[in-house]
Amino acid sequence: MKSNKNILILFGTQTGNSEDVADRIGRYVTRMNGKAQVVSLSDYPVTNLVNESIVIFVCSTTGNGEFPDNMKSFWKFMLRKGLPSNSLCHIKFSVFGLGDSSYDKFNVVAKKLNKRLLQLGALELIPLTLGDDQHELGYDAALDPWLLKLKDVLKNICNLSDSYIPDNIPLPPRYTVKFCENPSINSVSFEVCNRNDSFPLATLKKNQRVTPEDHFQSVHLLEFEIDQNVHYEPGDVAVVWPENPLEEVEDFLALLNVPLDTIFTLQPTDADVPLPKISVYPCTVRQCATTYFDIMSIPRRSFFEIFRHFSQDELEKEKLEEFTTAAGQEELYDYCNRPRRNILEVLKDFPHTTPHVPFEYFFDMIPSIRPRSFSIASSLRAHPQEFHLLVAVVQYKTRLRKPRLGLCSNWITKLKPGCSIPFSTKKGSIALLESPVPIILVGPGTGVAPFRSFIEERALKGIGDNYLFFGCRNKGKDFFFSEEWQELCEKNILKIFTAFSRDQEDKLYVQHRIAENGPLMWDLIQNKKASIYVAGNAKQMPQGVKDAFLEIITKEGGLTQEEAVKYLLSLENIKKYQMETWA
């Protein structure tokens, strides 16, 4: 039986994980209900909540407990003091959170949202559920049992059957595709949407590898020229849209049975579904494969839930169906996640299925290429009409023959001077406070990038008391900006503490250097009201640095461990201890 109730699924995401989970929930509900509306929180008018009855929220936590960009306006509205405590008493809701337990503020966004919804009178359908990216099976470990609870809840409150649309029938695609064979239509009938018209362009001025050829990792300093109207502040990030490698694009196109260079248009099968944000639209399949389909990403379970329907081979179909079951998740993880097998490779692995996938279904199966954010490694005042990026090229080996390559880092570091790319800027997780008090900067590796902008900014204003803790493997190979730091040290603008982990028998890290300078750090923090900034890989460094500061506060300040934790938390609350970390 189909329900008359509209079931709304709203997602807040930074990387696309929440969107993928929301889409999977949407398909699950659609099979029971005939329809579910899946909408980004940035595209949903929050005042429409007064018209909703059942709402499922899927939201991720970014950085150090930050709300994802597409959720910030929604959350600002939800925090309005004037909202009555019964504002949402007509809504039944559930929150599914996506987070990473290696971060201190695990799933804090989902926790805050759940609490606020309850404060506004909404009724909880299913208790707050927290997915953990650190789990061997990823978010599916929490999502599978959550979906079973959702099924029971919807059957009870909406009088739904188990399956309004049988499981062996594919759901309608999100879009229908129309190829425009008439050249005159191709050339004149459409208003072309081009990303280059929506965003400013950055022209690459210099692309320099700053690590030796024999170093284990290639790191590049890229300098871009920008329009004089573009403004950014220290701590801001640049957002860019990468493209797929030409070789992989050609491999993908070879799998398709559609015109590759004929313009096509998309028609949503549901009026509520927005058109995808393709860089140029209308476009050709070749353009779409280059700039939109993320064929280099690891396929999620939802990919196989659609893929299996088109298999023409019993063995392939059996394997694909196994990948969609809860019992088959261990094998799916071993096939996809452990070796980091990408979508293109999976499509090649199933030659009796891929040719039979209607092209329009690829928009449901393959996620879009997400923009990537890089901390800006320059001060706009020090480098007018420029921004600089410090980019480590991601490349590693798995059991697969072909090395795994990070899409954006490999794309951007291969750009040639003179080429232009669309970009935008936004606030990062850290921001330089205006106060001229001392600053303590902890930035090992490419984590030092935003601190170059901090130091350049303060140096221009003649502000000293800049204390930088920098760590890398070798002084002679990845000591980024060493000559600049030396010059500033000679001018008494900067004091630098270095930790070269592989230059001696015992490994040395930034947290060790911080602990060694306990009396100085305590004097700066307690007496001179210094601000502390930490940037870099989230794996172990941030906690090690925090432990070092806690030890200093305990020892030099004469506080108990509990008092030291409260002291450091108070610094975080007033933005005197800021972190920008990434996995």
Side-chain angles (χ1 to χ4, degrees):
M1 178 177 179
K2 183 179 177 181
S3 167
N4 292 321
K5 291 182 179 291
N6 178 49
I7 298 174
L8 175 66
I9 300 149
L10 296 174
F11 65 88
T13 187
Q14 193 92 342
T15 62
N17 289 333
S18 294
E19 182 175 3
D20 181 79
V21 170
D23 282 342
R24 186 174 165 207
I25 295 171
R27 286 191 291 274
Y28 191 85
V29 172
T30 297
R31 290 204 176 275
M32 296 182 68
N33 192 46
K35 180 185 176 184
Q37 187 180 1
V38 180
V39 187
S40 165
L41 277 163
S42 60
D43 296 331
Y44 180 78
V46 64
T47 52
N48 283 5
L49 281 177
V50 296
N51 303 317
E52 308 294 350
S53 57
I54 300 174
V55 185
I56 296 168
F57 295 89
V58 183
C59 55
S60 59
T61 298
T62 67
N64 186 37
E66 301 290 329
F67 278 76
D69 288 344
N70 75 328
M71 191 176 174
K72 288 178 179 176
S73 295
F74 171 86
W75 182 242
K76 185 177 180 180
F77 182 90
M78 292 290 284
L79 290 180
R80 286 187 178 183
K81 292 183 179 179
L83 292 177
S85 59
N86 63 347
S87 300
L88 301 180
C89 62
H90 59 288
I91 286 180
K92 298 181 178 67
F93 79 95
S94 183
V95 175
F96 188 91
L98 288 83
D100 186 322
S101 58
S102 67
Y103 286 78
D104 272 353
K105 298 183 178 179
F106 171 59
N107 258 313
V108 69
V109 168
K111 294 173 184 175
K112 287 181 177 180
L113 175 61
N114 201 80
K115 181 179 179 180
R116 185 57 178 158
L117 291 167
L118 291 171
Q119 288 174 345
L120 295 176
L123 177 65
E124 197 175 44
L125 285 173
I126 303 173
L128 171 65
T129 304
L130 305 178
D132 185 3
D133 196 36
Q134 287 295 310
H135 193 283
E136 189 176 55
L137 299 180
Y139 304 126
D140 280 339
L143 184 60
D144 281 341
W146 183 90
L147 286 172
L148 293 176
K149 292 178 185 176
L150 180 67
K151 176 185 280 190
D152 290 339
V153 165
L154 293 182
K155 286 168 68 175
N156 289 332
I157 68 172
C158 301
N159 194 26
L160 297 182
S161 63
D162 278 352
S163 184
Y164 177 75
I165 300 176
D167 189 56
N168 62 344
I169 297 176
L171 295 175
R174 194 176 307 176
Y175 310 103
T176 55
V177 174
K178 180 180 179 182
F179 286 96
C180 309
E181 299 293 346
N182 189 328
S184 64
I185 294 178
N186 288 354
S187 58
V188 301
S189 292
F190 302 115
E191 180 180 347
V192 175
C193 170
N194 192 318
R195 183 182 289 148
N196 292 2
D197 298 332
S198 305
F199 295 95
L201 294 178
T203 302
L204 185 61
K205 174 184 174 184
K206 184 179 180 181
N207 182 349
Q208 176 189 4
R209 176 168 174 156
V210 292
T211 51
E213 292 294 333
D214 63 347
H215 191 54
F216 84 102
Q217 186 171 51
S218 172
V219 180
H220 288 239
L221 179 63
L222 300 108
E223 300 178 3
F224 290 91
E225 293 179 335
I226 55 177
D227 187 86
Q228 61 183 358
N229 295 322
V230 176
H231 184 78
Y232 65 86
E233 294 291 340
D236 287 358
V237 300
V239 181
V240 299
W241 287 263
E243 296 181 357
N244 286 314
L246 179 61
E247 180 182 349
E248 277 69 17
V249 169
E250 293 301 324
D251 283 354
F252 175 69
L253 295 176
L255 301 173
L256 306 182
N257 295 314
V258 292
L260 303 181
D261 296 299
T262 301
I263 285 176
F264 69 85
T265 59
L266 297 169
Q267 181 65 43
T269 54
D270 189 312
D272 295 325
V273 176
L275 286 171
K277 296 177 182 178
I278 305 175
S279 62
V280 177
Y281 178 81
C283 65
T284 66
V285 173
R286 189 181 303 277
Q287 289 172 316
C288 190
T290 302
T291 65
Y292 182 75
F293 288 139
D294 195 358
I295 57 176
M296 305 299 290
S297 63
I298 299 171
R300 298 188 179 277
R301 183 165 158 187
S302 55
F303 171 94
F304 296 96
E305 289 174 345
I306 301 170
F307 194 33
R308 67 188 173 99
H309 287 294
F310 305 104
S311 185
Q312 303 294 307
D313 178 88
E314 284 304 314
L315 287 176
E316 288 188 9
K317 189 177 184 69
E318 183 180 343
K319 178 56 66 177
L320 291 172
E321 289 186 340
E322 181 182 2
F323 286 161
T324 68
T325 65
Q329 291 314 289
E330 186 69 43
E331 187 162 352
L332 176 58
Y333 188 88
D334 192 55
Y335 172 67
C336 283
N337 295 74
R338 284 196 177 94
R340 314 297 291 178
R341 196 184 307 271
N342 63 46
I343 285 174
L344 176 58
E345 291 167 330
V346 172
L347 292 173
K348 289 180 178 180
D349 280 351
F350 291 86
H352 302 294
T353 303
T354 299
H356 303 287
V357 179
F359 178 64
E360 52 261 36
Y361 274 95
F362 284 120
F363 288 93
D364 293 335
M365 292 169 58
I366 306 177
S368 62
I369 294 175
R370 296 281 165 179
R372 285 5 183 226
S373 298
F374 294 94
S375 296
I376 297 176
S378 57
S379 159
L380 185 60
R381 293 169 181 83
H383 305 276
Q385 291 184 240
E386 291 186 10
F387 70 78
H388 301 172
L389 303 179
L390 186 66
V391 179
V393 178
V394 177
Q395 180 174 336
Y396 56 94
K397 291 184 178 180
T398 67
R399 67 176 186 233
L400 299 178
R401 180 182 60 83
K402 194 170 184 178
R404 307 293 91 185
L405 304 177
L407 177 61
C408 190
S409 64
N410 281 273
W411 167 77
I412 199 169
T413 55
K414 289 176 182 174
L415 295 177
K416 302 296 183 184
C419 72
S420 297
I421 61 171
F423 77 101
S424 65
T425 61
K426 65 177 184 179
K427 295 298 177 186
S429 302
I430 57 176
L432 179 62
L433 301 178
E434 287 293 329
S435 172
V437 299
I439 57 174
I440 300 168
L441 310 171
V442 186
T446 55
V448 79
F451 300 147
R452 184 175 182 245
S453 72
F454 282 26
I455 294 167
E456 285 183 339
E457 185 83 1
R458 284 167 59 102
L460 275 178
K461 298 176 181 178
I463 303 174
D465 278 334
N466 303 298
Y467 299 83
L468 172 64
F469 289 86
F470 175 79
C472 63
R473 289 197 173 198
N474 310 105
K475 181 178 181 180
K477 295 194 174 183
D478 50 353
F479 188 4
F480 306 130
F481 309 121
S482 58
E483 293 180 3
E484 294 179 26
W485 304 145
Q486 181 60 36
E487 185 178 334
L488 290 171
C489 287
E490 291 172 359
K491 294 178 180 179
N492 292 321
I493 294 289
L494 174 69
K495 184 170 180 58
I496 187 168
F497 305 86
T498 55
F500 305 117
S501 63
R502 304 302 198 274
D503 280 353
Q504 62 284 312
E505 186 174 342
D506 295 327
K507 291 181 180 178
L508 188 66
Y509 298 115
V510 286
Q511 53 264 43
H512 299 139
R513 288 299 194 206
I514 292 169
E516 290 172 4
N517 290 273
L520 172 61
M521 293 299 102
W522 177 246
D523 180 56
L524 291 172
I525 297 167
Q526 175 65 11
N527 301 322
K528 297 182 179 178
K529 308 305 177 187
S531 297
I532 304 169
Y533 300 88
V534 183
N537 192 291
K539 192 172 183 181
Q540 293 176 322
M541 182 275 297
Q543 189 58 51
V545 168
K546 182 170 284 190
D547 289 343
F549 279 114
L550 285 172
E551 181 182 337
I552 290 169
I553 294 168
T554 303
K555 182 179 179 182
E556 303 297 334
L559 303 181
T560 66
Q561 183 68 24
E562 184 178 352
E563 290 170 337
V565 170
K566 289 182 179 179
Y567 184 99
L568 198 58
L569 182 60
S570 70
L571 295 181
E572 289 187 42
N573 291 336
I574 60 173
K575 302 295 184 183
K576 299 285 281 184
Y577 191 105
Q578 299 183 37
M579 291 195 298
E580 181 166 87
T581 59
W582 53 87

